[in-house]
Every structure is written in structure tokens, then in C-alpha cells.
Amino acid sequence: MKRENRSIAYSFEHGDESLPHIRDLVSDIPDPEKSRIVSYLKTHCVAACAGIIRDRVNPEQVIGYGNIFSDGTYFWNDEFCNYVDKYNIPVPKEFRDHILENDTARMKRHEQWELVDSVEIQNNPCLGYRYHTRIYQNGLISYRNAEDCADGAVMYRKPEDARYIIHPMMEELFCYDADEHGTAGIDGYHWKIIFYEKDKAVEEIEGWPGENRWRYDEVRKIIEFAEQFVGREMGSAEMNFYS
């Protein structure tokens, strides 16, 4: 899956001066697929923002807070979601077609996401130390040296801390990059992230050399962040990240 970042231009004030002003786009007639479209738009917030966006139709009201949503190809904010939902602002055709084409698959992916209860990170270097660590939604973290199992540990964290570790993996890799098998290798390591539902592996994210910049940095953040909670070296010190 090629990850892109296309913004949505949907009115004169929002990216396309060839379009009508937002007030002129208000309609009493909803899109026939409105429920599907709005559900799609409001699924999977990737960044929460602490701002206030005033409603251009009714300025005394708040229309959004700047929270960002993405499906891995397009990104938009809650202001756009709410204009579509509240005022039937039309969704640009290219984006509308994209939503209706991907709606079923994306919603199924999110249903799978809700069932994942643990994530395992493995590093499989060509040479050197190998470890596996598994992080459970309930706060249990297990760590073991996969070479001889001489070094191992079991830790407990608050469930919210465990979810805080897991969330970036779920958000960025499980939802958007599950079909990128074989393209996430980094500096001689074959990283693998395995998602489990009740001890059944439901997805694996893995790769080899030739990683693109975004995923390269994403794996770096995940490994370094997890190290802070696990209290063990997971190999990030040996990785030559992009500067």
C-alpha cells in the first residue's frame, strides 16, 4: 500500500478558490451515501488537537477542533467531517469515489483492530543479539532473548501505558501497511511486528532492506519508544537511522 498525504480541497475557503464559498454549499439534500461517508470520515483520528474552529455558516458555533483523520491516502480534519454531516457539504468526487471504493475494506480492518489484544516485536539480525518482546493490552509485557532464552523478564504496566505503546503500531502499520510484507528491513535487521487476537496471529508486518523513509522512521519510533517501557535494549542502538 503506497502511503500518501492528499489534502481535501472542498470550498473557496478550504483549498480551492474556483469553488463556491462554504455558505453557498449548504444543502437540504443529503448525499444518498451520507451515512457511509460520514462514518468513514469519522473513523480513525490520527492526531488530536486542542484548537477551536468557528463555524463559517453559524459563526457563534464551533464546527471543529482541528483533529486530523487519515486513511493512509487522504487526510482531513473534523471541520470537514462536521460540514458534511451538519450541512450536507458535497464531498469532492475523487475523494467520494475513493471512500465508497474502500469503505468496506477499511471498516473491516478497524473491526479487526478492535479485537487485537497483544503485539509482539521481534528483531532478527543477520548477526548479533535477537529478542522478542510481547506487549498485552492489559499491561503485561514479556521479554526474552530469543537466542538462548537466558535473559528474560515479565513486567506489568498500567493498561493505559501498554495501549500507549501499542497504539502507534496499530494506527500506522496495522491499519495502513499490512500488505507491505518484505519492505521494512532496516540496517541488516529483519524487523517483524505480529498482532495477536487471543494468541492467534492475525497479521504480521515485516521487511528487508530498502525501506522507504516514512516506514523507516516509524519503526524507529516504535522500537525506541517500547525500549523506554520494557527497560531492555532492543537493538535500536545498532540501527543507523536517517538523520
Side-chain angles (χ1 to χ4, degrees), residues 4-10 14-15 73-76 92 94-95:
E4 301 179 59
N5 287 289
R6 304 182 199 172
S7 62
I8 310 300
Y10 59 95
H14 300 89
T73 301
Y74 290 90
F75 69 92
W76 59 94
E94 181 181 356
F95 184 39

Side-chain angles (χ1 to χ4, degrees), residues 171-189:
E171 177 179 274
E172 301 293 356
L173 299 178
F174 185 87
C175 285
Y176 302 144
D177 291 290
D179 59 349
E180 290 284 0
H181 297 285
T183 60
I186 301 178
D187 299 331
Y189 287 80

Side-chain angles (χ1 to χ4, degrees), residues 49-55 61-66:
C49 301
I52 291 177
I53 302 174
R54 291 291 173 185
D55 189 331
Q61 298 181 11
V62 173
I63 194 71
Y65 300 92

Side-chain angles (χ1 to χ4, degrees), residues 141-160:
I141 300 175
S142 63
Y143 170 93
R144 63 187 172 90
N145 171 359
E147 291 296 324
D148 55 19
C149 298
D151 180 22
V154 175
M155 294 148 277
Y156 291 92
R157 303 289 184 186
K158 294 179 181 179
E160 55 266 34

Side-chain angles (χ1 to χ4, degrees), residues 108-230:
K108 181 179 179 180
R109 198 68 180 158
H110 280 274
E111 290 173 4
Q112 292 176 314
W113 175 11
E114 295 296 327
L115 296 175
V116 169
D117 52 26
S118 66
V119 176
E120 183 173 75
I121 306 171
Q122 300 179 4
N123 84 327
N124 295 303
C126 298
L127 296 171
Y129 190 75
R130 179 178 301 183
Y131 75 87
H132 294 172
T133 189
R134 189 153 167 195
I135 306 165
Y136 294 79
Q137 298 269 17
N138 65 6
L140 173 67
I141 300 175
S142 63
Y143 170 93
R144 63 187 172 90
N145 171 359
E147 291 296 324
D148 55 19
C149 298
D151 180 22
V154 175
M155 294 148 277
Y156 291 92
R157 303 289 184 186
K158 294 179 181 179
E160 55 266 34
D161 287 344
R163 290 191 290 269
Y164 192 49
I165 304 170
I166 292 172
H167 186 76
M169 291 179 268
M170 300 297 296
E171 177 179 274
E172 301 293 356
L173 299 178
F174 185 87
C175 285
Y176 302 144
D177 291 290
D179 59 349
E180 290 284 0
H181 297 285
T183 60
I186 301 178
D187 299 331
Y189 287 80
H190 179 187
W191 297 99
K192 182 180 288 187
I193 300 174
I194 306 173
F195 301 88
Y196 290 92
E197 177 194 345
K198 296 180 179 178
D199 290 327
K200 176 185 177 182
V202 295
E203 187 59 80
E204 294 183 0
I205 307 296
E206 59 180 335
W208 301 98
E211 180 59 282
N212 68 57
R213 174 64 181 268
W214 175 81
R215 290 193 69 198
Y216 191 103
D217 289 340
E218 195 61 38
V219 173
R220 173 190 182 179
K221 289 188 294 183
I222 288 167
I223 300 303
E224 288 190 330
F225 188 67
E227 282 179 333
Q228 298 175 34
F229 287 84
V230 175

